[in-house]
Amino acid sequence: MAEVSIKENVLRNSKLNEFFVEQLEDIYWAENKLIKALRKMENAATSMRLKEAFHTHREETRNHVSRLEQVFAIINEPVDSSKCPAMAGIINEANDIIDDTDEESSQRDAGLLIAAQKAEHYEIASYGSLAQLADTLGYIEAKNLLGQTLEEEKSTD
């Protein structure tokens, strides 16, 4: 039993743990920015079904932010964020789609759907990796929360 505690202590004070926290800060920023972007995408969409999908995803994303805050608490780290260049790029692309397509067009809806899928795929990759890192570091409760979000992201995709 002492070996497990020593191993966990070493892992939790490692560069790997530092990387895990940095990645949590990255996805925390991404999720918060996505909430705002999804509102804009909902307003720009033509199809009622797509508008509803963006609305539902925005509400889910609020839950994901809350869950990330729980993960920070579990691992005894302050809630913080750092700019996520990947999500910033995806959101910029969505904004370009809105700016460069005609209102009320199927072209805009198709473009917004593609941008949303890009965001989902980024989130799926992030949460899958974070859940694995949490498991490696011995943060089982955090792994479970991150895994729950991962499954929701897959479902949304």
Side-chain angles (χ1 to χ4, degrees):
M1 189 73 166
E3 287 181 32
V4 173
S5 296
I6 291 169
K7 179 183 174 191
E8 286 178 1
N9 189 40
V10 168
L11 282 174
R12 290 180 182 179
N13 290 303
S14 69
K15 291 284 188 183
L16 184 60
N17 190 73
E18 186 178 312
F19 179 73
F20 176 64
V21 173
E22 289 169 0
Q23 294 304 299
L24 284 173
E25 292 171 351
D26 179 269
I27 196 68
Y28 187 73
W29 185 95
E31 293 284 35
N32 278 295
K33 293 302 177 188
L34 189 57
I35 290 170
K36 294 175 186 173
L38 286 166
R39 178 180 302 283
K40 186 173 181 179
M41 293 166 77
E42 177 185 349
N43 291 335
T46 300
S47 157
M48 188 53 67
R49 186 171 173 205
L50 188 55
K51 285 179 178 288
E52 290 170 3
F54 287 142
H55 178 79
T56 300
H57 188 206
R58 192 171 74 246
E59 295 308 311
E60 273 186 1
T61 303
R62 283 191 173 100
N63 291 333
H64 298 166
V65 167
S66 176
R67 207 173 283 142
L68 284 167
E69 291 167 352
Q70 292 174 40
V71 170
F72 279 108
I74 289 166
I75 66 169
N76 204 22
E77 290 285 339
V79 175
D80 200 0
S81 67
S82 62
K83 185 174 182 177
C84 172
M87 187 60 76
I90 291 168
I91 291 170
N92 285 340
E93 187 174 337
N95 288 332
D96 287 347
I97 289 166
I98 293 168
D99 293 343
D100 297 342
T101 56
D102 294 333
E103 290 182 28
E104 306 292 322
S105 70
S106 59
Q107 177 192 20
R108 178 176 284 180
D109 280 358
L112 290 173
L113 184 57
I114 290 168
Q117 283 190 304
K118 288 178 181 181
E120 285 308 302
H121 291 195
Y122 177 78
E123 290 173 308
I124 289 167
S126 295
Y127 282 107
S129 300
L130 284 167
Q132 183 58 56
L133 282 172
D135 186 48
T136 299
L137 291 164
Y139 297 128
I140 302 308
E141 189 178 353
K143 174 199 156 217
N144 293 338
L145 289 172
L146 294 164
Q148 184 179 352
T149 300
L150 173 62
E151 292 309 312
E152 290 173 2
E153 296 292 4
K154 287 178 180 179
S155 177
T156 298
D157 181 45

mmCIF file with all atom_site columns, all heavy atoms in Angstrom, residues 122-139:
data_model
loop_
_atom_site.group_PDB
_atom_site.id
_atom_site.type_symbol
_atom_site.label_atom_id
_atom_site.label_alt_id
_atom_site.label_comp_id
_atom_site.label_asym_id
_atom_site.label_entity_id
_atom_site.label_seq_id
_atom_site.pdbx_PDB_ins_code
_atom_site.Cartn_x
_atom_site.Cartn_y
_atom_site.Cartn_z
_atom_site.occupancy
_atom_site.B_iso_or_equiv
_atom_site.pdbx_formal_charge
_atom_site.auth_seq_id
_atom_site.auth_comp_id
_atom_site.auth_asym_id
_atom_site.auth_atom_id
_atom_site.pdbx_PDB_model_num
ATOM 1   N N   . TYR A 1 122 ? -12.766 18.102 -31.563 1.00 0.00 ? 122 TYR A N   1
ATOM 2   C CA  . TYR A 1 122 ? -11.694 18.609 -30.710 1.00 0.00 ? 122 TYR A CA  1
ATOM 3   C C   . TYR A 1 122 ? -11.988 18.261 -29.245 1.00 0.00 ? 122 TYR A C   1
ATOM 4   O O   . TYR A 1 122 ? -11.105 17.810 -28.513 1.00 0.00 ? 122 TYR A O   1
ATOM 5   C CB  . TYR A 1 122 ? -11.522 20.124 -30.874 1.00 0.00 ? 122 TYR A CB  1
ATOM 6   C CG  . TYR A 1 122 ? -10.472 20.654 -29.936 1.00 0.00 ? 122 TYR A CG  1
ATOM 7   C CD1 . TYR A 1 122 ? -9.121  20.479 -30.230 1.00 0.00 ? 122 TYR A CD1 1
ATOM 8   C CD2 . TYR A 1 122 ? -10.819 21.271 -28.739 1.00 0.00 ? 122 TYR A CD2 1
ATOM 9   C CE1 . TYR A 1 122 ? -8.144  20.917 -29.352 1.00 0.00 ? 122 TYR A CE1 1
ATOM 10  C CE2 . TYR A 1 122 ? -9.843  21.706 -27.858 1.00 0.00 ? 122 TYR A CE2 1
ATOM 11  C CZ  . TYR A 1 122 ? -8.514  21.530 -28.170 1.00 0.00 ? 122 TYR A CZ  1
ATOM 12  O OH  . TYR A 1 122 ? -7.548  21.950 -27.295 1.00 0.00 ? 122 TYR A OH  1
ATOM 13  N N   . GLU A 1 123 ? -13.227 18.466 -28.843 1.00 0.00 ? 123 GLU A N   1
ATOM 14  C CA  . GLU A 1 123 ? -13.603 18.165 -27.460 1.00 0.00 ? 123 GLU A CA  1
ATOM 15  C C   . GLU A 1 123 ? -13.495 16.668 -27.169 1.00 0.00 ? 123 GLU A C   1
ATOM 16  O O   . GLU A 1 123 ? -13.039 16.276 -26.091 1.00 0.00 ? 123 GLU A O   1
ATOM 17  C CB  . GLU A 1 123 ? -15.030 18.653 -27.180 1.00 0.00 ? 123 GLU A CB  1
ATOM 18  C CG  . GLU A 1 123 ? -15.142 20.160 -27.143 1.00 0.00 ? 123 GLU A CG  1
ATOM 19  C CD  . GLU A 1 123 ? -16.583 20.609 -27.034 1.00 0.00 ? 123 GLU A CD  1
ATOM 20  O OE1 . GLU A 1 123 ? -17.422 20.162 -27.842 1.00 0.00 ? 123 GLU A OE1 1
ATOM 21  O OE2 . GLU A 1 123 ? -16.863 21.400 -26.124 1.00 0.00 ? 123 GLU A OE2 1
ATOM 22  N N   . ILE A 1 124 ? -13.905 15.833 -28.097 1.00 0.00 ? 124 ILE A N   1
ATOM 23  C CA  . ILE A 1 124 ? -13.808 14.383 -27.910 1.00 0.00 ? 124 ILE A CA  1
ATOM 24  C C   . ILE A 1 124 ? -12.346 13.982 -27.705 1.00 0.00 ? 124 ILE A C   1
ATOM 25  O O   . ILE A 1 124 ? -12.018 13.223 -26.783 1.00 0.00 ? 124 ILE A O   1
ATOM 26  C CB  . ILE A 1 124 ? -14.446 13.627 -29.094 1.00 0.00 ? 124 ILE A CB  1
ATOM 27  C CG1 . ILE A 1 124 ? -15.971 13.776 -29.062 1.00 0.00 ? 124 ILE A CG1 1
ATOM 28  C CG2 . ILE A 1 124 ? -14.047 12.157 -29.094 1.00 0.00 ? 124 ILE A CG2 1
ATOM 29  C CD1 . ILE A 1 124 ? -16.680 13.352 -30.344 1.00 0.00 ? 124 ILE A CD1 1
ATOM 30  N N   . ALA A 1 125 ? -11.463 14.494 -28.539 1.00 0.00 ? 125 ALA A N   1
ATOM 31  C CA  . ALA A 1 125 ? -10.037 14.188 -28.401 1.00 0.00 ? 125 ALA A CA  1
ATOM 32  C C   . ALA A 1 125 ? -9.509  14.686 -27.058 1.00 0.00 ? 125 ALA A C   1
ATOM 33  O O   . ALA A 1 125 ? -8.755  13.981 -26.369 1.00 0.00 ? 125 ALA A O   1
ATOM 34  C CB  . ALA A 1 125 ? -9.256  14.805 -29.558 1.00 0.00 ? 125 ALA A CB  1
ATOM 35  N N   . SER A 1 126 ? -9.908  15.878 -26.667 1.00 0.00 ? 126 SER A N   1
ATOM 36  C CA  . SER A 1 126 ? -9.424  16.459 -25.412 1.00 0.00 ? 126 SER A CA  1
ATOM 37  C C   . SER A 1 126 ? -9.907  15.675 -24.197 1.00 0.00 ? 126 SER A C   1
ATOM 38  O O   . SER A 1 126 ? -9.100  15.328 -23.323 1.00 0.00 ? 126 SER A O   1
ATOM 39  C CB  . SER A 1 126 ? -9.882  17.920 -25.293 1.00 0.00 ? 126 SER A CB  1
ATOM 40  O OG  . SER A 1 126 ? -9.285  18.698 -26.299 1.00 0.00 ? 126 SER A OG  1
ATOM 41  N N   . TYR A 1 127 ? -11.200 15.401 -24.149 1.00 0.00 ? 127 TYR A N   1
ATOM 42  C CA  . TYR A 1 127 ? -11.732 14.693 -22.978 1.00 0.00 ? 127 TYR A CA  1
ATOM 43  C C   . TYR A 1 127 ? -11.243 13.250 -22.902 1.00 0.00 ? 127 TYR A C   1
ATOM 44  O O   . TYR A 1 127 ? -11.006 12.731 -21.817 1.00 0.00 ? 127 TYR A O   1
ATOM 45  C CB  . TYR A 1 127 ? -13.260 14.773 -22.929 1.00 0.00 ? 127 TYR A CB  1
ATOM 46  C CG  . TYR A 1 127 ? -13.732 16.105 -22.432 1.00 0.00 ? 127 TYR A CG  1
ATOM 47  C CD1 . TYR A 1 127 ? -14.307 17.032 -23.283 1.00 0.00 ? 127 TYR A CD1 1
ATOM 48  C CD2 . TYR A 1 127 ? -13.569 16.458 -21.090 1.00 0.00 ? 127 TYR A CD2 1
ATOM 49  C CE1 . TYR A 1 127 ? -14.716 18.268 -22.835 1.00 0.00 ? 127 TYR A CE1 1
ATOM 50  C CE2 . TYR A 1 127 ? -13.979 17.697 -20.629 1.00 0.00 ? 127 TYR A CE2 1
ATOM 51  C CZ  . TYR A 1 127 ? -14.548 18.603 -21.503 1.00 0.00 ? 127 TYR A CZ  1
ATOM 52  O OH  . TYR A 1 127 ? -14.949 19.840 -21.039 1.00 0.00 ? 127 TYR A OH  1
ATOM 53  N N   . GLY A 1 128 ? -11.071 12.610 -24.045 1.00 0.00 ? 128 GLY A N   1
ATOM 54  C CA  . GLY A 1 128 ? -10.522 11.252 -24.040 1.00 0.00 ? 128 GLY A CA  1
ATOM 55  C C   . GLY A 1 128 ? -9.117  11.240 -23.464 1.00 0.00 ? 128 GLY A C   1
ATOM 56  O O   . GLY A 1 128 ? -8.774  10.389 -22.625 1.00 0.00 ? 128 GLY A O   1
ATOM 57  N N   . SER A 1 129 ? -8.304  12.177 -23.892 1.00 0.00 ? 129 SER A N   1
ATOM 58  C CA  . SER A 1 129 ? -6.931  12.272 -23.400 1.00 0.00 ? 129 SER A CA  1
ATOM 59  C C   . SER A 1 129 ? -6.891  12.656 -21.927 1.00 0.00 ? 129 SER A C   1
ATOM 60  O O   . SER A 1 129 ? -6.107  12.106 -21.145 1.00 0.00 ? 129 SER A O   1
ATOM 61  C CB  . SER A 1 129 ? -6.154  13.297 -24.225 1.00 0.00 ? 129 SER A CB  1
ATOM 62  O OG  . SER A 1 129 ? -6.116  12.912 -25.581 1.00 0.00 ? 129 SER A OG  1
ATOM 63  N N   . LEU A 1 130 ? -7.719  13.609 -21.538 1.00 0.00 ? 130 LEU A N   1
ATOM 64  C CA  . LEU A 1 130 ? -7.752  14.037 -20.137 1.00 0.00 ? 130 LEU A CA  1
ATOM 65  C C   . LEU A 1 130 ? -8.195  12.911 -19.215 1.00 0.00 ? 130 LEU A C   1
ATOM 66  O O   . LEU A 1 130 ? -7.639  12.740 -18.125 1.00 0.00 ? 130 LEU A O   1
ATOM 67  C CB  . LEU A 1 130 ? -8.669  15.253 -19.972 1.00 0.00 ? 130 LEU A CB  1
ATOM 68  C CG  . LEU A 1 130 ? -8.085  16.576 -20.453 1.00 0.00 ? 130 LEU A CG  1
ATOM 69  C CD1 . LEU A 1 130 ? -9.184  17.633 -20.548 1.00 0.00 ? 130 LEU A CD1 1
ATOM 70  C CD2 . LEU A 1 130 ? -6.960  17.034 -19.538 1.00 0.00 ? 130 LEU A CD2 1
ATOM 71  N N   . ALA A 1 131 ? -9.191  12.143 -19.635 1.00 0.00 ? 131 ALA A N   1
ATOM 72  C CA  . ALA A 1 131 ? -9.651  11.025 -18.808 1.00 0.00 ? 131 ALA A CA  1
ATOM 73  C C   . ALA A 1 131 ? -8.530  10.001 -18.624 1.00 0.00 ? 131 ALA A C   1
ATOM 74  O O   . ALA A 1 131 ? -8.325  9.474  -17.526 1.00 0.00 ? 131 ALA A O   1
ATOM 75  C CB  . ALA A 1 131 ? -10.884 10.373 -19.432 1.00 0.00 ? 131 ALA A CB  1
ATOM 76  N N   . GLN A 1 132 ? -7.784  9.740  -19.691 1.00 0.00 ? 132 GLN A N   1
ATOM 77  C CA  . GLN A 1 132 ? -6.664  8.794  -19.592 1.00 0.00 ? 132 GLN A CA  1
ATOM 78  C C   . GLN A 1 132 ? -5.569  9.330  -18.682 1.00 0.00 ? 132 GLN A C   1
ATOM 79  O O   . GLN A 1 132 ? -5.015  8.597  -17.856 1.00 0.00 ? 132 GLN A O   1
ATOM 80  C CB  . GLN A 1 132 ? -6.100  8.485  -20.981 1.00 0.00 ? 132 GLN A CB  1
ATOM 81  C CG  . GLN A 1 132 ? -4.984  7.458  -20.959 1.00 0.00 ? 132 GLN A CG  1
ATOM 82  C CD  . GLN A 1 132 ? -5.427  6.142  -20.338 1.00 0.00 ? 132 GLN A CD  1
ATOM 83  O OE1 . GLN A 1 132 ? -6.391  5.539  -20.783 1.00 0.00 ? 132 GLN A OE1 1
ATOM 84  N NE2 . GLN A 1 132 ? -4.727  5.693  -19.304 1.00 0.00 ? 132 GLN A NE2 1
ATOM 85  N N   . LEU A 1 133 ? -5.248  10.613 -18.799 1.00 0.00 ? 133 LEU A N   1
ATOM 86  C CA  . LEU A 1 133 ? -4.238  11.205 -17.921 1.00 0.00 ? 133 LEU A CA  1
ATOM 87  C C   . LEU A 1 133 ? -4.687  11.164 -16.458 1.00 0.00 ? 133 LEU A C   1
ATOM 88  O O   . LEU A 1 133 ? -3.884  10.866 -15.567 1.00 0.00 ? 133 LEU A O   1
ATOM 89  C CB  . LEU A 1 133 ? -3.946  12.650 -18.337 1.00 0.00 ? 133 LEU A CB  1
ATOM 90  C CG  . LEU A 1 133 ? -3.039  12.837 -19.548 1.00 0.00 ? 133 LEU A CG  1
ATOM 91  C CD1 . LEU A 1 133 ? -3.009  14.299 -19.964 1.00 0.00 ? 133 LEU A CD1 1
ATOM 92  C CD2 . LEU A 1 133 ? -1.637  12.336 -19.250 1.00 0.00 ? 133 LEU A CD2 1
ATOM 93  N N   . ALA A 1 134 ? -5.951  11.469 -16.225 1.00 0.00 ? 134 ALA A N   1
ATOM 94  C CA  . ALA A 1 134 ? -6.473  11.419 -14.860 1.00 0.00 ? 134 ALA A CA  1
ATOM 95  C C   . ALA A 1 134 ? -6.329  10.016 -14.288 1.00 0.00 ? 134 ALA A C   1
ATOM 96  O O   . ALA A 1 134 ? -5.926  9.842  -13.123 1.00 0.00 ? 134 ALA A O   1
ATOM 97  C CB  . ALA A 1 134 ? -7.936  11.870 -14.826 1.00 0.00 ? 134 ALA A CB  1
ATOM 98  N N   . ASP A 1 135 ? -6.621  9.021  -15.091 1.00 0.00 ? 135 ASP A N   1
ATOM 99  C CA  . ASP A 1 135 ? -6.481  7.634  -14.660 1.00 0.00 ? 135 ASP A CA  1
ATOM 100 C C   . ASP A 1 135 ? -5.016  7.320  -14.340 1.00 0.00 ? 135 ASP A C   1
ATOM 101 O O   . ASP A 1 135 ? -4.701  6.740  -13.298 1.00 0.00 ? 135 ASP A O   1
ATOM 102 C CB  . ASP A 1 135 ? -7.014  6.699  -15.745 1.00 0.00 ? 135 ASP A CB  1
ATOM 103 C CG  . ASP A 1 135 ? -7.044  5.249  -15.302 1.00 0.00 ? 135 ASP A CG  1
ATOM 104 O OD1 . ASP A 1 135 ? -7.537  4.976  -14.186 1.00 0.00 ? 135 ASP A OD1 1
ATOM 105 O OD2 . ASP A 1 135 ? -6.586  4.395  -16.078 1.00 0.00 ? 135 ASP A OD2 1
ATOM 106 N N   . THR A 1 136 ? -4.114  7.709  -15.207 1.00 0.00 ? 136 THR A N   1
ATOM 107 C CA  . THR A 1 136 ? -2.686  7.469  -15.007 1.00 0.00 ? 136 THR A CA  1
ATOM 108 C C   . THR A 1 136 ? -2.192  8.126  -13.721 1.00 0.00 ? 136 THR A C   1
ATOM 109 O O   . THR A 1 136 ? -1.374  7.557  -13.002 1.00 0.00 ? 136 THR A O   1
ATOM 110 C CB  . THR A 1 136 ? -1.876  8.004  -16.217 1.00 0.00 ? 136 THR A CB  1
ATOM 111 O OG1 . THR A 1 136 ? -2.310  7.313  -17.389 1.00 0.00 ? 136 THR A OG1 1
ATOM 112 C CG2 . THR A 1 136 ? -0.384  7.824  -16.023 1.00 0.00 ? 136 THR A CG2 1
ATOM 113 N N   . LEU A 1 137 ? -2.718  9.314  -13.443 1.00 0.00 ? 137 LEU A N   1
ATOM 114 C CA  . LEU A 1 137 ? -2.292  10.062 -12.253 1.00 0.00 ? 137 LEU A CA  1
ATOM 115 C C   . LEU A 1 137 ? -3.007  9.619  -10.985 1.00 0.00 ? 137 LEU A C   1
ATOM 116 O O   . LEU A 1 137 ? -2.718  10.123 -9.902  1.00 0.00 ? 137 LEU A O   1
ATOM 117 C CB  . LEU A 1 137 ? -2.504  11.569 -12.496 1.00 0.00 ? 137 LEU A CB  1
ATOM 118 C CG  . LEU A 1 137 ? -1.580  12.190 -13.539 1.00 0.00 ? 137 LEU A CG  1
ATOM 119 C CD1 . LEU A 1 137 ? -2.105  13.541 -13.985 1.00 0.00 ? 137 LEU A CD1 1
ATOM 120 C CD2 . LEU A 1 137 ? -0.157  12.305 -13.006 1.00 0.00 ? 137 LEU A CD2 1
ATOM 121 N N   . GLY A 1 138 ? -3.958  8.719  -11.120 1.00 0.00 ? 138 GLY A N   1
ATOM 122 C CA  . GLY A 1 138 ? -4.668  8.217  -9.949  1.00 0.00 ? 138 GLY A CA  1
ATOM 123 C C   . GLY A 1 138 ? -5.838  9.075  -9.507  1.00 0.00 ? 138 GLY A C   1
ATOM 124 O O   . GLY A 1 138 ? -6.367  8.907  -8.412  1.00 0.00 ? 138 GLY A O   1
ATOM 125 N N   . TYR A 1 139 ? -6.280  9.976  -10.361 1.00 0.00 ? 139 TYR A N   1
ATOM 126 C CA  . TYR A 1 139 ? -7.433  10.831 -10.066 1.00 0.00 ? 139 TYR A CA  1
ATOM 127 C C   . TYR A 1 139 ? -8.696  10.139 -10.587 1.00 0.00 ? 139 TYR A C   1
ATOM 128 O O   . TYR A 1 139 ? -9.279  10.528 -11.605 1.00 0.00 ? 139 TYR A O   1
ATOM 129 C CB  . TYR A 1 139 ? -7.297  12.198 -10.731 1.00 0.00 ? 139 TYR A CB  1
ATOM 130 C CG  . TYR A 1 139 ? -6.134  13.041 -10.277 1.00 0.00 ? 139 TYR A CG  1
ATOM 131 C CD1 . TYR A 1 139 ? -5.250  13.586 -11.201 1.00 0.00 ? 139 TYR A CD1 1
ATOM 132 C CD2 . TYR A 1 139 ? -5.942  13.334 -8.934  1.00 0.00 ? 139 TYR A CD2 1
ATOM 133 C CE1 . TYR A 1 139 ? -4.201  14.402 -10.802 1.00 0.00 ? 139 TYR A CE1 1
ATOM 134 C CE2 . TYR A 1 139 ? -4.886  14.147 -8.517  1.00 0.00 ? 139 TYR A CE2 1
ATOM 135 C CZ  . TYR A 1 139 ? -4.028  14.675 -9.470  1.00 0.00 ? 139 TYR A CZ  1
ATOM 136 O OH  . TYR A 1 139 ? -2.991  15.478 -9.070  1.00 0.00 ? 139 TYR A OH  1
#
